[in-house]
Amino acid sequence: DLMDAGTQALNKAKGLPDTSGEFGGREAAYGRVVEAGKLDVTHGSILYLDDIEVSFDGFKALNKLSLDISVGEMRCIIGPNGAGKTTMMDVITGKTRPDSGSAFFGSTIDLLSMRENEIAQIGIGRKFQKPTVFEHLSVFENLELALKADRRARASVFFKLSSEQLDRIGEMLKLIHLKTQAQRTAGLLSHGQKQWLEIGMLLMQDPKLLLLDEPVAGMTDEETERTAELFLSLEGAHSLVVVEHDMKFIGELTTQGATAAKKKVTVLHEGSVLAEGDSRLDEVLVVDDSPIARRFLESRLSRLGYPVTGVESGEQALAMAAERHFGFVFLDVNLDGIDGFETCRLLKTQTPA
């Protein structure tokens, strides 16, 4: 009992979930028996990929990709087209078999030995880029169909929603901002609302891990903001892997919430992890004596989520760099008669970037 209490206190200090009584006893015991097919996250990881390789006709879509996702974590994954983001999700969900490597859900469930439907049943949900809902059914009926229930013929004929299931659907409608649209035909929803509905259908399955592929593509700014709020509300109760190109959206996800300081962003390039770290974006100093050029750069960089400061002269740039750190400097090398190379040298002294 003392060992159990000590282990749980240590996990609490580390911010790991309380698993006492859920996975068979003291976590420090290496010899404990784990039930076959039962998710075991006592080591803190819910998804583990190691040296995954996938080739298509000689082209390496994934090249020794390794990734570790913690329980309750929201991990954002970015990268250019062709970096291997979608292929990675295909491997996790069983759609694509890798040439080599290993993939585990928790510490005991080997994903590479399972079929797609089996992977879905153990608690991994995936949202594709294009929303896939039953367009001729109502929003309510879509969520009803997504409930975890016996889908055999006899059970389906005599199926009736219980009060608990009705409450769950009502809660989900509120969560995905579609409570007022419950009886509306799904095909009449906006693109963003269809995205929310599909996310709601996934959540009705109560997945432990959610894979979200470009969830805000095609959304309005308001819909994107509300989607960020939705994902932040799911953090902790579910583990989320979010693949996106919208850097402003990534910034909203990774700089807000109780665990903002611990959140990671992973950058994929040519099938492997190029970089991984916290989500803080360095401030950018734009130095240009042309107000048009300055405004253009400030606009583009702000859209990517970077905090930007613009100045017009070399003297101002040096004064600003002396006061605070800038991660990047965009510099016009001919500013008010100051030698461009000397300005660069001084700025690099002040701002190692």
Side-chain angles (χ1 to χ4, degrees):
D1 289 341
L2 285 172
M3 293 293 288
D4 284 340
T7 302
Q8 292 303 320
L10 183 62
N11 283 348
K12 185 177 180 181
K14 291 179 177 178
L16 297 175
D18 182 2
T19 55
S20 56
E22 187 177 351
F23 297 107
R26 180 163 59 88
E27 295 181 13
Y30 288 94
R32 64 189 175 83
V33 177
V34 178
E35 183 183 340
K38 185 178 178 69
L39 178 63
D40 179 13
V41 293
T42 53
H43 292 85
S45 294
I46 195 167
L47 178 67
Y48 180 70
L49 306 180
D50 184 41
D51 283 347
I52 296 289
E53 291 197 355
V54 175
S55 297
F56 299 113
D57 296 327
F59 171 73
K60 277 199 172 183
L62 295 179
N63 184 20
K64 293 189 177 298
L65 174 66
S66 296
L67 193 67
D68 187 359
I69 307 295
S70 299
V71 177
E73 178 184 1
M74 181 190 293
R75 177 71 63 88
C76 295
I77 298 181
I78 61 176
N81 292 329
K85 305 183 296 295
T86 299
T87 305
M88 176 196 70
M89 289 191 171
D90 288 344
V91 170
I92 296 169
T93 54
K95 188 177 180 181
T96 297
R97 296 295 176 187
D99 303 324
S100 61
S102 57
F104 279 86
F105 187 46
S107 58
T108 57
I109 301 177
D110 183 4
L111 295 175
L112 302 186
S113 65
M114 305 177 74
R115 296 190 295 270
E116 287 184 72
N117 64 306
E118 293 173 332
I119 291 173
Q121 289 168 1
I122 61 171
I124 297 180
R126 179 179 183 181
K127 191 211 162 302
F128 291 85
Q129 294 178 15
K130 182 180 178 182
T132 50
V133 298
F134 299 102
E135 298 205 347
H136 298 292
L137 299 179
S138 70
V139 170
F140 184 94
E141 289 167 336
N142 270 269
L143 294 177
E144 181 182 353
L145 279 176
L147 275 169
K148 266 189 173 180
D150 187 349
R151 296 301 178 189
R152 288 175 294 186
R154 182 177 177 81
S156 297
V157 169
F158 296 101
F159 176 75
K160 184 178 180 181
L161 285 171
S162 66
S163 58
E164 292 83 3
Q165 289 171 325
L166 283 169
D167 289 343
R168 178 158 170 71
I169 293 175
E171 291 169 3
M172 190 58 62
L173 286 167
K174 185 177 179 180
L175 180 67
I176 61 175
H177 313 298
L178 292 177
K179 191 169 184 178
T180 60
Q181 308 289 330
Q183 300 306 319
R184 192 177 187 187
T185 303
L188 299 178
L189 298 175
S190 70
H191 174 76
Q193 289 174 325
K194 287 179 183 177
Q195 298 275 47
W196 292 339
L197 177 56
E198 186 179 19
I199 292 168
M201 292 171 71
L202 281 177
L203 292 173
M204 294 300 291
Q205 296 286 318
D206 196 25
K208 301 295 186 295
L209 174 65
L210 269 169
L211 307 176
L212 302 155
D213 196 355
E214 298 189 28
V216 298
M219 285 190 181
T220 64
D221 290 343
E222 182 183 355
E223 289 172 339
T224 298
E225 187 176 332
R226 297 184 79 176
T227 302
E229 293 172 0
L230 169 60
F231 288 0
L232 289 168
S233 71
L234 299 176
E235 186 181 8
H238 305 268
S239 301
L240 293 89
V241 176
V242 183
V243 169
E244 241 322 323
H245 289 288
D246 188 331
M247 291 303 299
K248 185 177 180 182
F249 177 68
I250 294 291
E252 290 176 0
L253 291 182
T254 54
T255 57
Q256 299 180 37
T259 60
K262 300 178 182 178
K263 291 181 183 177
K264 291 181 181 178
V265 176
T266 299
V267 184
L268 296 190
H269 180 62
E270 295 183 353
S272 58
V273 175
L274 175 67
E276 188 173 279
D278 65 46
S279 57
R280 290 172 295 179
L281 294 173
D282 288 320
E283 188 171 3
V284 179
L285 178 62
V286 175
V287 189
D288 201 304
D289 54 1
S290 166
I292 295 174
R294 202 163 58 244
R295 282 198 297 270
F296 173 76
L297 280 171
E298 289 174 7
S299 172
R300 293 296 297 273
L301 292 167
S302 297
R303 208 175 302 162
L304 292 175
Y306 286 93
V308 183
T309 298
V311 295
E312 65 179 68
S313 71
E315 289 95 336
Q316 290 174 313
L318 293 173
M320 294 290 290
E323 292 175 1
R324 61 181 187 267
H325 171 79
F326 290 94
F328 303 94
V329 177
F330 283 81
L331 177 68
D332 178 352
V333 296
N334 278 308
L335 291 171
D336 301 335
I338 295 180
D339 178 75
F341 294 104
E342 179 66 11
T343 305
C344 286
R345 186 187 67 79
L346 291 171
L347 277 172
K348 189 168 184 180
T349 302
Q350 299 286 355
T351 305

